[in-house]
Amino acid sequence: MSDFVYAEAMQGWPDWQQEYRYGVLLIYPPAPLRSSVNRLRARHDPTSHAGCEAHISLTVPFPRPVDAEAWEELQGLASRVDPIEITYGPLRHYLPHPGVCLAIDPQGQLEALLETLESASVFTGATPRRHRFSAHMTVAEFIDADQTRRLMDQLSSSAPSGRFVCREVAYAVPDEGFSFKPQGVLMLGRATGG
């Protein structure tokens, strides 16, 4: 797979959005968790929800288009990593930075996965990570500190929690409206094929 489509019209995108033109690698949770978190995102942060479905961000943005050779290298790297059992919940925040998310574990295995993927040559020259990696699944990010506290209280007893096995990583690219769409899947583990 290498016929990826990239947005042509980027006028009006702020600088931070421009960095994402060639997409990122992330984990989409399975159903019904994906639908459950999407409903929370649509209700409590429609701006964030319109940009991307429920997900766990992994890599920094790609600095250039992903061609067939880069995709093959990425799949080879992904195949070296076994599927990961992910635990999600409870709610957490990063105050003083506003926002509410589901806690995600195991941090160490997910960080090792992203480091493996970011070792691909297509990431050469990528903008360095601004903050230390901390896997999470965002519920609401475009809110203020007071909204963060209220949402933590409101959702603390009803937020989803549980486990799922991550067997794949998605390549998601924004369209002209800066809404991320999956364009490819990297399968984890040697037995999964490519």
Side-chain angles (χ1 to χ4, degrees):
M1 175 171 252
S2 63
D3 295 326
F4 301 120
V5 178
Y6 302 102
E8 293 294 328
M10 297 187 333
Q11 293 91 352
W13 285 14
D15 288 345
W16 73 269
Q17 288 181 343
Q18 298 279 346
E19 291 179 18
Y20 286 88
R21 179 177 182 199
Y22 299 116
V24 294
L25 296 176
L26 49 81
I27 297 168
Y28 287 115
L33 173 60
R34 193 168 174 174
S35 297
S36 176
V37 177
N38 279 337
R39 281 191 298 276
L40 290 172
R41 287 167 64 82
R43 180 174 180 197
H44 300 290
D45 188 355
T47 301
S48 181
H49 177 65
C52 190
E53 286 194 70
H55 65 280
I56 301 167
S57 295
L58 283 179
T59 65
V60 295
F62 284 96
R64 64 186 55 78
V66 177
D67 61 19
E69 184 178 333
W71 188 251
E72 186 176 328
E73 180 186 7
L74 286 163
Q75 184 57 72
L77 291 167
S79 72
R80 297 179 195 165
V81 179
D82 290 332
I84 301 170
E85 184 176 64
I86 292 178
T87 302
Y88 58 92
L91 286 180
R92 70 168 297 176
H93 61 77
Y94 290 94
L95 288 172
H97 303 288
V100 174
C101 60
L102 293 174
I104 297 292
D105 276 307
Q107 291 286 328
Q109 284 181 271
L110 291 167
E111 187 167 9
L113 170 61
L114 87 83
E115 287 173 357
T116 297
L117 295 170
E118 286 182 354
S119 73
S121 57
V122 70
F123 280 106
T124 302
T127 301
R129 192 174 301 282
R130 290 182 179 86
H131 304 284
R132 189 172 193 282
F133 176 73
S134 178
H136 61 278
M137 193 178 316
T138 302
V139 171
E141 61 184 319
F142 296 112
I143 59 175
D144 63 30
D146 287 337
Q147 290 171 311
T148 297
R149 290 183 191 92
R150 284 195 302 271
L151 200 52
M152 287 290 295
D153 288 342
Q154 179 184 346
L155 299 178
S156 63
S157 63
S158 61
S161 63
R163 298 176 183 273
F164 68 90
V165 177
C166 171
R167 300 181 191 284
E168 61 187 44
V169 172
Y171 177 39
V173 177
D175 62 17
E176 286 80 3
F178 204 70
S179 180
F180 283 78
K181 307 296 183 208
Q183 293 205 26
V185 172
L186 300 170
M187 300 304 296
L188 301 184
R190 289 177 184 86
T192 59

